[in-house]
Amino acid sequence: MNVLILGSGGREHALAWKLSRSPRLQSLFCAPGNAGTSALAENLSVPVDGSDGFDALAKLVHAKKIGLVLVGPEAPLAAGVADRLLREDTLVFGPTKQAAEIESSKAFAKDFMRRHQIPTARYGVFTSLDAALSHLFEVGYPVVIKASGLAAGKGVVLPQTREEAEAALRSMLQEKVFGEAGQEVVIEERLEGPEVSVLAFSDGETFQVMPPAQDHKRLLGGDKGPNTGGMGAYAPAPICTPGLLEEVSRTILAPAIKGLRDENRKFVGVLYAGVMLTKDGPKALEFNARFGDPETEVLLPLLETDLLEIAMACAQGRLKDLPIRWKKASALCVVLASENYPEKPFTGRVIQGLEKNPDQSMVFHSGTKEVGGRTVTAGGRVLTVTGFGEDLWAAHQNAYRAVARLSFPGMQYRKDIGRQALSKEPQVTRSVYAAAGVDISAGNRAVELMKVAVRSTHGPRVLADLGSFGGLYDASDLAKMRAPVLVASTDGVGTKAKLAAETGRYRGVGIDIVNHCVNDILVQGAKPLFFLDYIASSKLEPEAVAETVRGMAEACKEAGCALLGGETAEMPGVYSEGAFDVAGTIVGVVERSALLPRNNLKAGDVLLGLSSSGPHTNGYSLIRKVFADSQLNDVFPELGAPLVDVLLAPHRSYLPLLLPILSRPDSPIKALAHITGGGFIENIPRVLTDNLSARIDARAWAIPPLFQLIASRGGVPKEEMFRVLNMGIGMVLIVGKERVQELQQLLVEPSFVIGELLEGVRTVVLA
């Protein structure tokens, strides 16, 4: 197949490099290309920035027998190059003009996000300076001001004062510094949090997400200086954990692809979401309608699948049938820019050191051309130097080693690309432990990634930061209690962790372990004070650990307890490859007079059941055996959702529901039984006296479909089901018969009368 790439930057050189490795490629062309693409393709002098040259481009496509066109930059997409080529029955990897409007008009994109409930910042769109200034004086939050049209990545201003904001509006709307692109502006709420680039291949119906990347927009180190088209990037970005990536896919990319299709703007190519990871979750900053630059230069070296196959699958609408594979590695790139970039860069400077790339690196040309047999600068961003390796540290070292070999007069570049995500562990220590199969830097990186989540649970009672030898908790409030009793519990997630590891969905098991432990001390009337965690594996994956801890932090905040600290352990040879274990310990407190169970339990007391959110953390060995011949994405009619979503539903906490009732001076609750491992048969007797038994009426509530499916598919007897699983009841309350109605009114959700206490030996009878 003959393939044509439109564009002339580092992105296009990276595309040419990747396409040149395809066994399906016959001839490769670039229009107009650069000095780097000329070594891989035939550069063609055809204008592609505007619609004026599209007729000539269409003729060239026919003359060269081009089977597929990949469009790199945004300008030809916004001008409708895909529409023109599609009319010639040419396959195009790139969206139509209408679909590309999601990038070419920020005003359209913001309105589109509002229509399709995509989380984003508050905003207003203006064409009048007076109206824009009036809005600026009314809003009560910091703002970002954006030129609505295409401004080569430079049309965004982050004013620090109202005066700067007013000046930015005047420069765009009155002085027209961005020309037509700034005739319409968006005034947007400035979100807080780290920014991440999430790109996805799309055929208009489905999409497949790429590893998350982070780029550096500012010209100077420490994120100072003016905005640029990008001074470097790295991928995968550790800050965007697998769970966050899944959330971005579900809440931002999926509704965007569907919304474009529903509005007859079917999107083919690469949809790029700029996302801010705020404390309220991921929010979309903007969309691009093509590969990013410099993100492309770090993503393509990680791609294992043939890029030509992917582009064809997108253009032909069959992406869902193509599995896309990525290397388990990292890549980092550094942009070398001209003197006086980004204002009016100096060009024509001779570039030295291009003869050979060091191992584990690539040099992609951006603004270069050949003059008299020498390669000279021909733009602002001149070269993009990419290093790759087994982790981000190795990629960083390889990239900057390659940078050191290159030079041209006035060359400027950032020396801190990726620094915020890198471990500070000395390389010599890393290599010594690596020989034993232990990566200390991975543990350090895991700690760095989880710090924000852990600190979010800390209040004034926590006296030591993460990383201390022991956690410190100020317990002076206990002196205000009459007879404080500390209640502690420890437990693990069990084989549910294996299922989470197989699917890369770790956040839920973090919630699981905390809520399991919270419920275990709640049944004795205790309110949690602090929680400690333990995570162990054969090989530590920092992102997985951080995602697990993020779930723990969420659950701890809901429970009002501190995630005081924990331990991560990498033990090759102890755990099998891919194995992952999570355990936790919780400490709470209760007045001795309020301890449960009370000593007034008697025959005739009633058992109330509260719904579970699923199997919680127990019975997964049985569940995995029952569904061994099923795919995790299978949707059983009884469940109405993918099996994996049902099985990984997080363990519910009953603390918010029950603590207010337990805190009442005359609480009607006599005892609580958390239905965990051992089900009804073994957990209810734990709160009974020797002369009492319990009768459970299994017909008193509707057994959820999942448990019915497990019983029928596995041929599991009723007694065994109630011994292993919670059967849809996660907490059992024991109350005097005369106070059942009172308790049900205090509960803010439905409860079920599921049985009663009887005289007899401590046991459970199923009716």
Side-chain angles (χ1 to χ4, degrees), residues 707-723:
F707 300 99
Q708 298 181 40
L709 191 61
I710 293 169
S712 61
R713 283 177 61 91
V716 185
K718 178 181 176 181
E719 181 89 7
E720 187 68 11
M721 290 291 294
F722 277 79
R723 185 182 297 277

Side-chain angles (χ1 to χ4, degrees), residues 184 242 297 328 512 528 623 637 654:
E184 183 177 52
E297 291 92 310
K328 290 186 176 180
D512 287 330
I623 291 169
Y654 295 93

Side-chain angles (χ1 to χ4, degrees), residues 522-552:
L522 177 65
V523 300
Q524 293 177 285
K527 178 182 178 180
L529 297 174
F530 58 83
F531 182 83
L532 298 162
D533 68 86
Y534 176 77
I535 301 173
S537 62
S538 60
K539 180 174 175 56
L540 205 61
E541 298 289 348
E543 293 75 19
V545 172
E547 185 67 9
T548 305
V549 173
R550 179 171 175 250
M552 293 178 186

Side-chain angles (χ1 to χ4, degrees), residues 133-141 162:
L133 291 173
S134 177
H135 177 79
L136 182 66
F137 297 140
E138 290 173 1
V139 297
Y141 47 74
R162 181 166 292 179

